Amino acid sequence: MGEIEDGEADHVTTDVQGQKCALVCGCAAPDGGSGKENLPFLNAVLKNPVCKLYRFPTSDNKWMRIREQMSESILSFHIPKELISLHIKEDLCRNQELKELGELSPHWDNLRKNVLTHCDQMVNMYQDILTELSKETGSSFKSSSSKGEKTLEFVPINLHLQRMHVHSPHLKDALYDVITVGAPAAHFQGFKNGGLRKLLHRFEMERRNTGYQFIYYSPENTAKAKEVLSNINQLQPLIATHADLLLNSASQHSPDSLKNSLKMLSEKTELFVHAFKDQLVRSALLALYTARPGGVPKKPPSPKSSAEDSCPQDAPPPVGRQDSIPHHSDYDEEEWDRVWASVGKSLNCIIDMVDKLIARDGASEGGGGSSKDGEKDASPVDPITAHPREDWYEQLCPLIRALQDCMGEVVNRAKQSLAFVLLQELAAGLPQGLMLTLRRDVVFSQALAGLVCGFIIKLHTSLHDPGFLQQLHTVGLVVQYEGLLSTYSDEIGMLEDMAVGISDLKKVAFKIIEAKSNDVLPVITGRREHYVVEVKLPARLFEALPPPVREGQLLHVHPVLFNVGINEQQTLADRFGDVSLQESINQENFELLKEYYAVFMEKMPPDYISHFQEQNDLKGLLENLHQNIQAKKRKNVEIMWLAATICRKLNGIRFTCCKSAKDRTSMSVTLEQCSILRDEHQLHKDFFIRALDCMRREGCRIENVLKNVKCRKYAFNMLQLMAFPKYYRPPEGTYGKADT
Ligand SMILES: O=P(O)(O)O[C@H]1[C@H](O)[C@@H](O)[C@H](O)[C@H](O)[C@@H]1OP(=O)(O)O
């Protein structure tokens, strides 16, 4: 199978009979590893720990003690449930907006009906899945054998924290964490047609070419429509609240509070007005106009030759085959400007009135008032200032109502036009578009559950490190995924899913809040384009955070994925198939990692950077990684080691994934652990293989296999192992046929 030719087959097994020096025992109590006060919080998310203790000799013949720990997380189920609830909310709201589009001509009305039927079915399906998941109270683990189950498809496979706590002589104790999880992928939908990376691209191409039936809006424009709709939905109630507060201040006749309320109202109204500045709203209004029963065609649509031609960005939007672009005399484009501008005008009237009321009030209280330049007004009686104490509420109320009316009108029109944009996207891709959204949601949910778990653990273990905290809010955290999937057969589709799922994590930001109760589970808000995960910390830890973090600054993550297939399927791909997917993923993600490093160097304080550079040659490591990616060598596992090392040095969150995270992943994390012991903790070189075999034979990972497939054997056969890179082969007796 290739690797034999390289003379590497002699280490399929390693004799560990004389492993007297590697003492192993299991223990029940997990190690917090980061201070006792964190324990209740971590224990609330980590469950069913398995611990193993080892002793290995160091190069100077002393002993190092290792505690290996593996825990499940209730986030495996909690995050999918949170996310599905948000999807349901978002989709119900969108369906409502489609219903409220108003009267449409028969062509568009039929489309809408069709879209709504499908969308309602999807919402029902999400609701059913949520109901099923809600029955799984207290669950924290989905086994590899359940990966194809429909009701569990949002739940990550075999998610665990794999932790190594090293206590070695002369050195500080050290913790090394890796989150191990099955590659986020849509197993229930299957991989016959590939995964998200290919499917999304193909879908977009096809959608562009259905130009005559529907209006083509680019993915950016569709995303923009969703963003503006979401902004409107958030801003409108906020403005209503500030308007009420302003009236409240007016009835209390309190100038300071009136000024403050006005400030808030103005800010929000300006944001509101700004939200509609987009050309998309303008073009969508025109498109919707043509789709109304009255928007009768005047001239036939000009045929479009290319997909690009159908983009509505600059030109008036193209319309359906039976409809046409309206003549300008049909449509009063300036009407929208008038409606839109009226919001600003109404706000200005309120500002003027508040200024007047406060000025008059000051003047009457000052007994005679003062002129604008501050000089005392000498005139004895001014009919205005002499006015008795005014009823501010009465003066402002009609103006506020006028503002609300104008806004209502703007919101109504904008919402309808943007919902019409969404209708195009949905109608053009029925039903594949909705299935793709489901697939993306499924994959994203699995990826997000892992990320939130990794983030919370990282936060708790690094809270006492000021450098980490600074990095967290100035640069964000790198999240590095090691993929071991092969670019062959179904795993191509899995890798295509995984690549999109991980890249979608860029849409997630974290916010740390103070825990007010015993409920420490994270809360998610947002919608498909942008999510915020609120992570709770107990008061004492929260108070020690840097001010920007305490004040709710959003904390960003920078996910990167490097994949190297290692099994017999990859041998086939290397020899007879196509490895371009893996090559492009590695190349693209290298660029992302390089960008992250550049921002890190730019934003971290100079004294931190100079110390950092003394300790680490990150530039050299990055160059080395780049060369290895460029080298296009088969099964180049050096790529994974370098990427993982860079991630650890950058304080990042480490992930390792294969299809099920039990066999190949176990080989990889145990190898990583022993390599760290050798490179960072002076593990005696004669004991490297013995330590590795010992961990694989007796450690947490064989327990992982057991809990997944009820059998203490890695699911490899001899032939498969011959194809594995040398150090990824488990010891004799630990592998064999297992019903996976
Ligand atoms: O944990 P994995 O490495 O994805 O498990 C694989 C194993 O590597 C392979 O040898 C075996 O034939 C099975 O395909 C395992 O996957 P399961 O998802 O079936 O556990």
Side-chain angles (χ1 to χ4, degrees), residues 141-194:
F141 168 65
K142 170 176 145 185
S143 73
S144 71
S145 40
S146 311
K147 62 180 165 301
E149 274 179 37
K150 168 89 189 132
T151 51
L152 294 180
E153 61 180 342
F154 284 80
V155 180
I157 306 160
N158 191 18
L159 173 72
H160 285 90
L161 160 67
Q162 170 75 27
R163 165 167 287 185
M164 178 172 74
H165 187 170
V166 189
H167 178 76
S168 48
H170 321 306
L171 289 170
K172 261 174 66 186
D173 276 18
L175 269 187
Y176 300 92
D177 288 343
V178 180
I179 306 292
T180 62
V181 62
H187 288 270
F188 180 77
Q189 284 196 32
F191 306 99
K192 223 173 49 222
N193 300 314

Side-chain angles (χ1 to χ4, degrees), residues 18 145 156 407 413 614 675 736:
S145 40
M407 274 181 28
R413 287 176 191 232
E614 266 168 39
S675 305

Side-chain angles (χ1 to χ4, degrees), residues 401-417:
R401 297 285 165 258
L403 175 73
Q404 284 173 333
D405 287 349
C406 299
M407 274 181 28
E409 183 61 26
V410 170
V411 166
N412 205 15
R413 287 176 191 232
K415 262 187 162 180
Q416 288 190 338
S417 69

Side-chain angles (χ1 to χ4, degrees), residues 486-684:
S486 292
T487 52
Y488 196 77
S489 185
D490 276 359
E491 291 198 4
I492 295 182
M494 285 175 217
L495 184 55
E496 285 169 348
D497 273 354
M498 181 183 189
V500 172
I502 287 170
S503 168
D504 278 349
L505 293 176
K506 287 184 203 128
K507 303 184 292 193
V508 180
F510 288 85
K511 189 168 160 182
I512 302 179
I513 58 168
E514 189 182 333
K516 299 280 185 209
S517 70
N518 290 337
D519 176 10
V520 293
L521 290 175
V523 176
I524 312 179
T525 52
R527 59 198 176 84
R528 283 186 183 85
E529 271 67 25
H530 177 64
Y531 288 107
V532 175
V533 182
E534 290 184 350
V535 171
K536 297 169 192 167
L537 275 189
R540 229 151 48 81
L541 297 178
F542 182 79
E543 275 153 23
L545 291 172
V549 181
R550 269 194 326 238
E551 283 152 19
Q553 186 185 311
L554 292 183
L555 311 169
H556 296 279
V557 285
H558 303 264
V560 289
L561 162 66
F562 294 95
N563 188 81
V564 178
I566 57 168
N567 69 4
E568 78 292 352
Q569 302 235 330
Q570 190 60 45
T571 307
L572 293 173
D574 287 342
R575 306 236 150 183
F576 314 111
D578 180 8
V579 288
S580 58
L581 173 64
Q582 176 171 291
E583 283 171 2
S584 34
I585 287 177
N586 291 346
Q587 189 54 50
E588 286 161 21
N589 283 274
F590 174 75
E591 295 304 324
L592 295 176
L593 187 58
K594 218 170 70 181
E595 272 167 37
Y596 175 84
Y597 173 67
V599 178
F600 176 87
M601 296 300 282
E602 186 197 311
K603 291 204 178 161
M604 290 298 279
D607 46 342
Y608 180 94
I609 290 294
S610 59
H611 177 70
F612 180 82
Q613 277 173 317
E614 266 168 39
Q615 308 268 306
N616 311 290
D617 177 22
L618 247 285
K619 218 165 162 242
L621 285 167
L622 278 166
E623 260 161 36
N624 199 351
L625 176 61
H626 188 226
Q627 279 161 12
N628 273 284
I629 290 171
Q630 298 290 83
K632 303 196 172 165
K633 219 174 109 189
R634 287 177 190 160
K635 296 193 184 172
N636 188 359
V637 290
E638 187 68 12
I639 290 177
M640 301 196 292
W641 173 248
L642 285 166
T645 307
I646 293 169
C647 168
R648 279 195 302 273
K649 290 191 185 292
L650 282 171
N651 255 330
I653 306 175
R654 276 275 300 112
F655 279 79
T656 297
C657 312
C658 58
K659 177 169 58 166
S660 287
K662 68 180 170 54
D663 302 315
R664 284 166 287 179
T665 293
S666 295
M667 298 305 108
S668 184
V669 284
T670 45
L671 176 59
E672 182 171 343
Q673 288 179 171
C674 288
S675 305
I676 291 171
L677 294 180
R678 180 195 57 203
D679 297 350
E680 310 283 338
H681 298 274
Q682 295 155 15
L683 171 67
H684 194 299

Side-chain angles (χ1 to χ4, degrees), residues 382-402:
D382 180 324
I384 297 172
T385 56
H387 200 278
R389 190 176 153 102
E390 284 176 293
D391 186 338
W392 285 3
Y393 181 92
E394 245 178 42
Q395 302 279 347
L396 280 169
C397 194
L399 300 181
I400 292 283
R401 297 285 165 258

Side-chain angles (χ1 to χ4, degrees), residues 223-292:
K224 170 67 64 60
K226 289 178 190 165
E227 189 190 324
V228 180
L229 272 169
S230 151
N231 286 344
I232 301 172
N233 289 336
Q234 275 175 13
L235 282 170
Q236 203 184 8
L238 269 182
I239 292 174
T241 309
H242 289 303
D244 284 348
L245 287 173
L246 185 90
L247 287 179
N248 213 6
S249 313
S251 46
Q252 287 167 3
H253 210 95
S254 154
D256 285 344
S257 135
L258 194 66
K259 273 189 223 157
N260 281 338
S261 311
L262 180 66
K263 188 167 168 273
M264 296 305 287
L265 179 70
S266 308
E267 277 172 18
K268 297 294 169 219
T269 310
E270 268 157 32
L271 284 178
F272 175 87
V273 172
H274 188 76
F276 298 108
K277 263 200 185 132
D278 210 280
Q279 176 62 25
L280 176 67
V281 182
R282 204 172 278 280
S283 67
L285 276 165
L286 177 54
L288 178 60
Y289 173 84
T290 66
R292 299 274 191 222

